[in-house]
Amino acid sequence: MSALKLLNDRRSVPSRQLGEPGPDATELQALLQAASRAPDHGKLVPWRFLLIRGEARRHLGELLAHTTLANNPDAPPAAVEKDRERFNFAPLIVTVIARIDETHSKVPAQEQLLSAGCVAYNLLLGAQQLGYGAQWLTGWAAYDPTILAALGVGAGERVVGFIHIGTAREPAPERLRPDVAALVREWQG
Protein backbone atom coordinates (compact mmCIF):
# COMPACT_ATOMS: atom_id res chain seq x y z
CA MET A 1 0.00 0.00 0.00
CA SER A 2 1.44 3.38 -0.93
CA ALA A 3 1.79 5.95 1.83
CA LEU A 4 -0.76 8.29 0.23
CA LYS A 5 -3.26 5.46 -0.20
CA LEU A 6 -2.79 4.51 3.45
CA LEU A 7 -3.49 8.11 4.48
CA ASN A 8 -6.48 8.47 2.16
CA ASP A 9 -7.96 5.14 3.28
CA ARG A 10 -7.54 5.84 7.00
CA ARG A 11 -10.73 5.41 8.99
CA SER A 12 -11.48 5.35 12.68
CA VAL A 13 -13.25 2.15 13.64
CA PRO A 14 -15.52 2.88 16.62
CA SER A 15 -14.08 1.14 19.66
CA ARG A 16 -17.38 -0.69 20.23
CA GLN A 17 -16.87 -2.38 16.84
CA LEU A 18 -13.43 -3.74 17.74
CA GLY A 19 -12.83 -7.24 19.02
CA GLU A 20 -10.35 -10.11 19.10
CA PRO A 21 -7.82 -10.72 17.89
CA GLY A 22 -5.52 -7.84 18.57
CA PRO A 23 -1.87 -7.53 17.66
CA ASP A 24 0.36 -10.37 18.85
CA ALA A 25 3.62 -9.65 20.69
CA THR A 26 5.67 -9.33 17.50
CA GLU A 27 3.14 -7.05 15.82
CA LEU A 28 2.82 -4.93 18.97
CA GLN A 29 6.58 -4.47 19.18
CA ALA A 30 6.73 -3.47 15.51
CA LEU A 31 3.79 -1.11 15.96
CA LEU A 32 5.30 0.66 18.97
CA GLN A 33 8.66 0.90 17.21
CA ALA A 34 7.09 2.44 14.11
CA ALA A 35 4.94 4.82 16.18
CA SER A 36 8.08 6.06 17.91
CA ARG A 37 9.45 7.30 14.58
CA ALA A 38 7.56 10.56 15.13
CA PRO A 39 9.18 13.98 14.73
CA ASP A 40 11.01 14.71 17.97
CA HIS A 41 12.80 18.07 18.17
CA GLY A 42 15.72 17.74 20.55
CA LYS A 43 15.43 13.93 20.71
CA LEU A 44 13.56 14.26 24.00
CA VAL A 45 11.22 11.29 23.47
CA PRO A 46 8.42 13.26 25.16
CA TRP A 47 6.03 10.30 25.36
CA ARG A 48 5.60 6.88 26.85
CA PHE A 49 3.17 4.01 26.39
CA LEU A 50 0.83 2.37 28.89
CA LEU A 51 -0.76 -0.85 27.63
CA ILE A 52 -4.23 -1.77 28.87
CA ARG A 53 -5.39 -5.27 27.98
CA GLY A 54 -6.84 -8.43 29.45
CA GLU A 55 -8.43 -8.08 32.88
CA ALA A 56 -6.93 -4.60 33.28
CA ARG A 57 -9.60 -3.34 30.86
CA ARG A 58 -12.36 -4.53 33.18
CA HIS A 59 -10.61 -3.07 36.24
CA LEU A 60 -10.31 0.29 34.52
CA GLY A 61 -13.99 0.16 33.58
CA GLU A 62 -14.93 -0.50 37.21
CA LEU A 63 -12.78 2.45 38.27
CA LEU A 64 -14.49 4.66 35.69
CA ALA A 65 -17.94 3.58 36.89
CA HIS A 66 -16.98 4.17 40.53
CA THR A 67 -15.50 7.59 39.69
CA THR A 68 -18.58 8.56 37.70
CA LEU A 69 -20.78 7.81 40.72
CA ALA A 70 -18.37 9.55 43.11
CA ASN A 71 -18.45 12.68 40.94
CA ASN A 72 -22.21 12.49 40.35
CA PRO A 73 -24.21 10.22 42.67
CA ASP A 74 -27.29 10.91 40.51
CA ALA A 75 -25.63 9.75 37.29
CA PRO A 76 -28.05 7.77 35.13
CA PRO A 77 -27.43 4.01 35.27
CA ALA A 78 -26.88 4.00 31.47
CA ALA A 79 -24.02 6.52 31.82
CA VAL A 80 -22.42 4.45 34.59
CA GLU A 81 -22.71 1.29 32.51
CA LYS A 82 -21.25 3.05 29.46
CA ASP A 83 -18.20 4.02 31.51
CA ARG A 84 -17.93 0.49 32.94
CA GLU A 85 -17.82 -0.98 29.42
CA ARG A 86 -15.78 1.78 27.75
CA PHE A 87 -12.51 -0.22 27.66
CA ASN A 88 -13.96 -3.73 27.21
CA PHE A 89 -14.26 -3.94 23.43
CA ALA A 90 -10.83 -3.62 21.80
CA PRO A 91 -8.38 -6.25 23.04
CA LEU A 92 -5.61 -3.65 23.27
CA ILE A 93 -5.62 -0.04 24.34
CA VAL A 94 -2.32 1.79 23.98
CA THR A 95 -2.36 4.87 26.17
CA VAL A 96 -0.03 7.53 24.79
CA ILE A 97 1.23 9.70 27.62
CA ALA A 98 3.04 12.93 26.83
CA ARG A 99 5.97 13.77 29.11
CA ILE A 100 6.24 17.54 28.89
CA ASP A 101 9.21 19.52 30.14
CA GLU A 102 7.65 22.99 30.43
CA THR A 103 11.03 24.55 31.22
CA HIS A 104 13.09 23.09 28.38
CA SER A 105 15.35 25.84 27.03
CA LYS A 106 15.13 24.86 23.35
CA VAL A 107 12.00 22.77 22.78
CA PRO A 108 8.68 24.47 23.58
CA ALA A 109 6.06 22.44 25.41
CA GLN A 110 3.77 22.63 22.38
CA GLU A 111 6.35 20.86 20.20
CA GLN A 112 6.71 18.11 22.79
CA LEU A 113 2.93 17.65 22.93
CA LEU A 114 2.67 17.60 19.15
CA SER A 115 5.40 14.97 18.99
CA ALA A 116 3.35 12.75 21.32
CA GLY A 117 0.31 13.43 19.14
CA CYS A 118 2.24 12.23 16.10
CA VAL A 119 3.05 9.03 17.99
CA ALA A 120 -0.67 8.47 18.61
CA TYR A 121 -1.46 9.07 14.94
CA ASN A 122 1.34 6.73 13.89
CA LEU A 123 -0.32 4.04 16.02
CA LEU A 124 -3.56 4.51 14.06
CA LEU A 125 -1.77 4.25 10.73
CA GLY A 126 0.39 1.34 11.82
CA ALA A 127 -2.58 -0.61 13.14
CA GLN A 128 -4.38 -0.09 9.83
CA GLN A 129 -1.33 -1.21 7.87
CA LEU A 130 -1.24 -4.41 9.97
CA GLY A 131 -4.90 -5.05 9.13
CA TYR A 132 -6.42 -3.92 12.44
CA GLY A 133 -9.00 -1.30 13.19
CA ALA A 134 -8.23 1.48 15.62
CA GLN A 135 -9.75 4.54 17.24
CA TRP A 136 -8.10 7.42 19.12
CA LEU A 137 -10.23 8.44 22.10
CA THR A 138 -9.73 10.69 25.07
CA GLY A 139 -12.95 11.47 26.91
CA TRP A 140 -13.24 12.57 30.50
CA ALA A 141 -11.02 9.73 31.74
CA ALA A 142 -8.00 11.36 30.07
CA TYR A 143 -8.39 14.41 32.33
CA ASP A 144 -9.80 13.10 35.60
CA PRO A 145 -7.33 13.30 38.53
CA THR A 146 -8.54 10.01 40.08
CA ILE A 147 -8.14 8.09 36.84
CA LEU A 148 -4.79 9.73 36.03
CA ALA A 149 -3.43 8.83 39.48
CA ALA A 150 -4.60 5.22 39.10
CA LEU A 151 -2.88 5.02 35.70
CA GLY A 152 0.34 6.40 37.16
CA VAL A 153 0.26 9.61 35.12
CA GLY A 154 2.60 11.92 36.97
CA ALA A 155 3.42 15.60 37.17
CA GLY A 156 4.36 17.02 33.80
CA GLU A 157 2.51 14.22 32.02
CA ARG A 158 -0.83 14.11 30.25
CA VAL A 159 -2.82 11.50 28.39
CA VAL A 160 -2.75 12.30 24.69
CA GLY A 161 -5.14 9.49 23.91
CA PHE A 162 -6.32 5.96 24.43
CA ILE A 163 -5.68 4.16 21.13
CA HIS A 164 -8.11 1.24 20.94
CA ILE A 165 -6.80 -1.49 18.59
CA GLY A 166 -8.43 -4.73 17.48
CA THR A 167 -10.15 -6.52 14.64
CA ALA A 168 -13.02 -4.61 13.08
CA ARG A 169 -16.30 -6.50 13.34
CA GLU A 170 -17.73 -4.49 10.44
CA PRO A 171 -16.35 -2.07 7.85
CA ALA A 172 -15.24 1.28 9.20
CA PRO A 173 -17.70 4.05 8.41
CA GLU A 174 -16.69 6.83 6.06
CA ARG A 175 -17.50 10.41 6.89
CA LEU A 176 -17.45 13.68 5.02
CA ARG A 177 -13.94 15.02 4.69
CA PRO A 178 -13.02 18.69 4.55
CA ASP A 179 -12.82 20.56 1.27
CA VAL A 180 -9.07 21.09 1.09
CA ALA A 181 -9.43 23.94 -1.42
CA ALA A 182 -11.41 25.89 1.19
CA LEU A 183 -8.57 25.47 3.69
CA VAL A 184 -5.68 26.66 1.49
CA ARG A 185 -4.49 30.21 1.03
CA GLU A 186 -1.34 31.42 -0.64
CA TRP A 187 0.66 34.01 1.29
CA GLN A 188 1.60 36.89 -0.95
CA GLY A 189 4.18 38.52 1.28
Side-chain angles (χ1 to χ4, degrees):
M1 181 180 290
S2 77
L4 285 178
K5 180 164 176 37
L6 177 68
L7 291 169
N8 282 314
D9 288 350
R10 196 203 69 73
R11 308 266 187 295
S12 289
V13 177
S15 64
R16 291 181 176 276
Q17 295 177 9
L18 296 171
E20 296 284 352
D24 64 26
T26 301
E27 290 172 320
L28 177 58
Q29 180 62 30
L31 185 56
L32 297 175
Q33 189 69 43
S36 295
R37 296 293 303 242
D40 179 10
H41 182 193
K43 300 180 187 115
L44 300 179
V45 190
W47 67 82
R48 66 183 178 89
F49 302 108
L50 177 66
L51 306 180
I52 303 169
R53 52 189 168 175
E55 274 298 295
R57 298 174 306 151
R58 187 183 63 73
H59 293 302
L60 181 55
E62 290 299 328
L63 179 60
L64 263 64
H66 175 77
T67 304
T68 295
L69 286 171
N71 291 338
N72 179 9
D74 298 324
V80 176
E81 189 60 24
K82 181 178 179 182
D83 286 336
R84 180 175 283 114
E85 294 300 318
R86 190 175 301 270
F87 289 90
N88 284 331
F89 301 102
L92 171 66
I93 297 95
V94 179
T95 311
V96 178
I97 300 171
R99 302 183 303 177
I100 308 297
D101 179 354
E102 299 278 351
T103 63
H104 197 280
S105 63
K106 294 185 179 180
V107 183
Q110 176 174 315
E111 291 185 20
Q112 297 171 57
L113 182 60
L114 289 170
S115 180
C118 288
V119 167
Y121 188 62
N122 283 353
L123 284 169
L124 293 178
L125 292 174
Q128 179 176 311
Q129 181 65 27
L130 290 173
Y132 296 102
Q135 186 177 31
W136 177 346
L137 296 171
T138 50
W140 68 269
Y143 308 100
D144 183 85
T146 300
I147 303 302
L148 295 175
L151 295 175
V153 177
E157 294 186 326
R158 57 184 96 159
V159 171
V160 171
F162 299 103
I163 312 303
H164 297 245
I165 303 171
T167 298
R169 294 186 189 140
E170 55 190 79
E174 180 54 281
R175 65 175 181 85
L176 286 176
R177 300 297 174 170
D179 174 12
V180 175
L183 302 173
V184 176
R185 297 290 179 264
E186 185 106 16
W187 187 63
Q188 300 299 318

